[in-house]
Amino acid sequence: MTSAAAPGAAPAAAPSAPRGRRSVTGTRRTAAALFLLPALVLLGALVVYPIGYSIVRSFYDSSGDHFAGADNYKALFTDDGIRTALKNNVIWIVFAPAVATALGLVFAVLTERVRWGTAFKLVVFMPMAISMLAAGIIFRLVYDQDPDKGVANAVWVGVHDTFAQASAFPRAHPGRDSPLRPDHGGFLTTSPVHTGQSVALPLVGVAPDQMPHGAGKARRAEAKPDRITGTAWQDFTRGKGVGKLGAVDPSEQGYAGMRIEAVKDGAVVATAKAADDGTFSLPARADGARLRLPADNFKEPYNGADWLGPSLVTPSIIGAYVWMWAGFAMVLIAAGLAGVPRELLEAARVDGANEWQVFRRVTVPLLAPVLAVVAVTLMINVLKIFDLVFIIAPGSSQDDANVLALELYRKGFSEGRPGVASAIAVFLLLLVIPVMLFNMRRLRREVRR
């Protein structure tokens, strides 16, 4: 049994503190700092220093020798190119993430119940493996104006021609000494016609290989006492000195399907359609009228939409972006959908909700955190969009498709204004920071839950 300490004796010495303070995991802070040092050096060299230099450079002129104050930042709101880029960036932020997220949600929900859903998801996600450069080249070809090259216009022209057939004679026009004169896109005879008369309507300008398949050899129509007859044909014969101008020659072809109108006092009193040999016939009520070949006969073939023109170039590029990133949205949303409690969905169905109500009232609210992650990620991504716009938009409409990242490149390298380019870079950083802060706060709330 130990004896009690004597009165007045000095208290026992406290245990000595460890020489090095350890972290929760037992690692000395000095060692942790040494391990983090390479990463911190790289972070400072590749992120902190460029940001700081850009901020400083944005206050100097193009030469970098003279302080310009806020002049470069004033250019953000006075330069026409930058204002167009700002407007287009707003369009990108509003529509591109929303459309990509919506498509990803639809794909994720619909493929959950089909046997080949995994294969479909693989196909939709595959564009993510393609670089922006390759995707830009692909869609530059897809949007080509020529329907024989561009897939978009090939489909568009096919649908259009199903309901509105283009004319077979887009370049037909009267030749020398013709009885026809121009009239509102079509052609009109210079003098009235009468019953018992056979009218000649010679035209030129259609290449032989572009004549309609049903076109036959032209024939001069026989005159009939109670009708007006005539022939519309290609008044051209290959070879010098072959054929007679204004007369139907054996080797010439009729304008099969040509529409002819009899116009009297400004009103159409009769119509006819040319046969395969170009002949036509009008009733007696057309007596004293002028014959008109309406403009519908000479419409140029429909070549589709001008996808890369000034009005459609931005939506077209957004379409290419959605093609690439809808798969990314689908995969993230599908992962969130896999964690949705099936009991809640079945309970809603038992309570009488249909599939649309289950989707709108149960599935979407439960997926709201995932949808927010996808939307915010895509918003940050579109603020930096450069590759697709630079590659897809042709030079003639690149100004109309301009975005801030592209304008930064143009100001810094094409126009030699690095001060303004640095101001754009700082402005882009300021635009990204609020979105990143929102995302970080939302993630912290999710962790606390």
Side-chain angles (χ1 to χ4, degrees), residues 107-131:
F107 290 154
V109 172
L110 293 182
T111 55
E112 190 185 32
R113 299 186 180 183
V114 295
R115 295 176 59 184
W116 42 269
T118 302
F120 180 83
K121 289 177 182 177
L122 179 64
V123 172
V124 175
F125 186 75
M126 197 175 296
M128 283 294 299
I130 302 174
S131 68

Side-chain angles (χ1 to χ4, degrees), residues 242-418:
V242 180
K244 185 179 179 182
L245 188 65
V248 178
D249 297 309
S251 62
E252 295 171 347
Q253 289 181 297
Y255 278 142
M258 178 72 74
R259 187 162 166 260
I260 299 99
E261 296 176 344
V263 181
K264 189 185 295 185
D265 298 327
V268 177
V269 296
T271 61
K273 189 175 181 181
D276 292 348
D277 57 7
T279 59
F280 61 89
S281 178
L282 292 165
R285 63 176 177 273
D287 185 65
R290 293 173 185 263
L291 299 189
R292 179 171 65 190
L293 305 179
D296 290 346
N297 291 315
F298 311 103
K299 286 192 304 184
E300 289 286 341
Y302 183 67
N303 287 322
D306 188 9
W307 299 105
L308 299 181
S311 58
L312 291 177
V313 62
T314 295
S316 298
I317 300 173
I318 290 176
Y321 177 88
V322 170
W323 176 77
M324 289 193 67
W325 287 87
F328 166 82
M330 178 196 65
V331 170
L332 290 189
I333 295 170
L337 192 61
V340 172
R342 298 299 181 230
E343 297 82 4
L344 296 178
L345 304 179
E346 293 302 326
R349 294 188 182 100
V350 170
D351 289 340
N354 57 37
E355 290 302 321
W356 169 246
Q357 290 172 327
V358 171
F359 172 76
R360 186 166 58 92
R361 301 278 181 91
V362 181
T363 304
V364 173
L366 290 175
L367 288 175
V370 179
L371 296 177
V373 170
V374 173
V376 170
T377 303
L378 294 179
M379 283 182 183
I380 295 173
N381 188 266
V382 298
L383 280 172
K384 304 179 295 179
I385 194 71
F386 167 80
D387 317 60
L388 287 179
V389 180
F390 183 72
I391 297 167
I392 296 178
S396 58
S397 57
Q398 198 169 85
D399 289 341
D400 301 282
N402 201 10
V403 290
L404 285 174
L406 177 58
E407 186 64 16
L408 185 156
Y409 168 82
R410 294 169 72 175
K411 286 287 188 288
F413 296 97
S414 299
E415 299 180 18
R417 301 172 65 186

